[in-house]
Amino acid sequence: MNETNGKSHETTDGLVEFDAFVLVVEDNPVNLEVAQSMLEFMGCRVDSAQNGVEAVEKAAKDPYDLILMDCHMPEMDGFEATRLIREKEENGEGGGQRHTTIIALSGDADILESGNYLTAGMDDFLGKPYDIKELCTMMGKWLPRGKMSIDLTE
């Protein structure tokens, strides 16, 4: 895979386009397809995992700029997957000298209030369902970017 610099640039039609490699970890096929479509529309290269086990394996092999991590999945949930990814980063495994931004995804507002996602090592929270503007705002918060030309105030 090609390494990215996590930058964005403005397209000719005024939309923000991110030069980022994003891992979407989601067990629901519809949610996965929607997230992938929005990210690809914003110019991202997208990879996917259907559970935490796959996410840990992929994060150890590829240098993602950002990971969107569902919190509740079979086999291994997003909290445990994030703890293992952080452990590998701290131990220098898989080129672990970096800190990959991990965004918690959940429709459960209690996760936001409890702060469990922060305790697990996630960097931020995006509530489901989310739209492209919310996703773009979140990515702009965590990825280096140029001028954002999309109106995110509506």
Side-chain angles (χ1 to χ4, degrees), residues 79-151:
F79 302 110
E80 183 61 21
T82 299
R83 280 190 281 274
L84 290 172
I85 290 168
R86 294 296 182 227
E87 186 177 292
K88 288 178 182 293
E89 287 177 340
E90 289 172 15
N91 293 332
E93 296 176 40
Q97 67 274 14
R98 54 184 270 145
H99 175 94
T100 305
T101 299
I102 301 177
I103 308 300
L105 299 177
S106 181
D108 184 354
D110 291 339
I111 291 172
L112 178 60
E113 291 182 21
S114 71
N116 287 346
Y117 69 98
L118 293 171
T119 304
M122 295 172 176
D123 298 291
D124 213 332
F125 177 88
L126 184 59
K128 293 180 189 176
Y130 53 89
D131 62 28
I132 195 165
K133 288 183 179 183
E134 292 167 319
L135 180 58
C136 187
T137 299
M138 182 64 68
M139 292 180 60
K141 178 179 177 180
W142 289 100
L143 294 174
R145 66 187 196 281
K147 179 182 173 188
M148 290 188 83
S149 61
I150 189 169
D151 182 6

